[in-house]
Amino acid sequence: MGREQWKKIWVGSAGNMVEWFDWFVYATFAVYFADAFFPEGNETANLMNTMGIFAVGFFMRPVGGWLLGRIGDRRGRKAALTLTVTLMSASAVLIAIAPTYDVAGYGGVAVLMVARLLQGLSVGGEYAASATYLTEASAPEKRGFASSFQYVSMTAGQLVGLGLQILLQRNMSDAALHSWGWRIPFVVGALGAGIVFYLRRSMLETEVYAESGAAEQQDRGTLKVLWQHRREAFLVMALTMGGTVAYYTYTTYLTKFLSKSAGMEKSTASLVSFCALFVFMCVQPLAGMLSDRIGRRPLLITFAVGSTFLTVPIMTMLKHADTFWPALGLALLALLVITGYTSINACVKAELFPTGIRALGVGLSYAVANALFGGTAEYVALWFKNAGIESGFYWYVAGCAAVSLVVYLTMRETRDIDLNRVAAVRAGQKASPSGATSVTPAS
């Protein structure tokens, strides 16, 4: 992998890290500001209301997937990536200055809602643009490795958020964190987004997009063309279902689950999440490289089998793991299983679509599935908890993984597909029915 390709991956990943830092700190700091925007009452109910707003942000992601995916296909990946980080910076500022219930009544909730809608719009487009950019920016035999940096950067953003939370927990009183300390990470996120905006303005467009002829196609990035690839779009939604539910269960929800259900101290729960996520981040490129050698389907199937059969026992044991080491071991096991999905899902989805519709195809399809399943995961978990049947959520996560397992078993391998359909057709290669181009399988 050459120096220019590494530069593209670095700039794309740095922006993705800031995007997901801003997205995740809302979830990780929710335990501190949930009571600030609602009247005093049931603590679990207030947290549910706050996470309900978190879920609303997910329902803007399909709009972001459509709008910014369209921009990515019509004006280039760089244009879409620059716009996403601008929107994220604005939303972080709004949350940082949002007035509390005591100051403005439900006016603070309105500000919080607007900010989450902007974040949803931004992240919906960020996933599509970064998945497409990282996949296209790499050599064909390195796509799994390169695209794994999407979840490396996503996890790095969450680690920075958790690290900041641990730092604030150890240096501020609990009362101060509930009063005003929770605003600090959103200020940090806004500043980070400003830096990344500067970096992305000078980033290079991918050669696949620049040389494919997609920029000259009049109907590129349209729903009309996406409809011609509806099979691939539905495939993306189905293969996303199990992965996104499992990912949010063991990342953003884990800290709250350990503190609220297992009875662990908040600071200890945050440390468990931090350590588990650090290992998880480090293994992503290794799994990506493995997929470049053996294909994508074996990793996806491994994830789905593991999540289907291990989720219930892992979550059951986690509920009784009220000390650091048992909780860390169980969290690591769960995250290593999920790596089969996270490390390669970006390139798998990008490999299903031709260049002129790739960003929209990936973005809109993924965002719809993420809104339905990923964005609601924590709310569903808290609903089961509030209803007194918390174990029902464990079976829900396992069931979603089982549905995706059926998809993985029946889908085709995507590792050896040529990303640049136009260039391939001009070279005399045979186009597959999906609109991507078939090439001779690698040995």
Side-chain angles (χ1 to χ4, degrees), residues 71-83:
I71 291 173
D73 284 328
R74 297 186 71 84
R75 298 183 59 186
R77 319 311 187 200
K78 174 183 174 180
L81 286 168
T82 303
L83 181 56

Side-chain angles (χ1 to χ4, degrees), residues 12 65 97 138 184 208 256 268 328 332 355 396:
I97 64 174
S138 61
I184 294 174
V208 169
K256 287 182 283 295
T268 305
L328 177 61
L332 281 175
T355 305
Y396 170 76

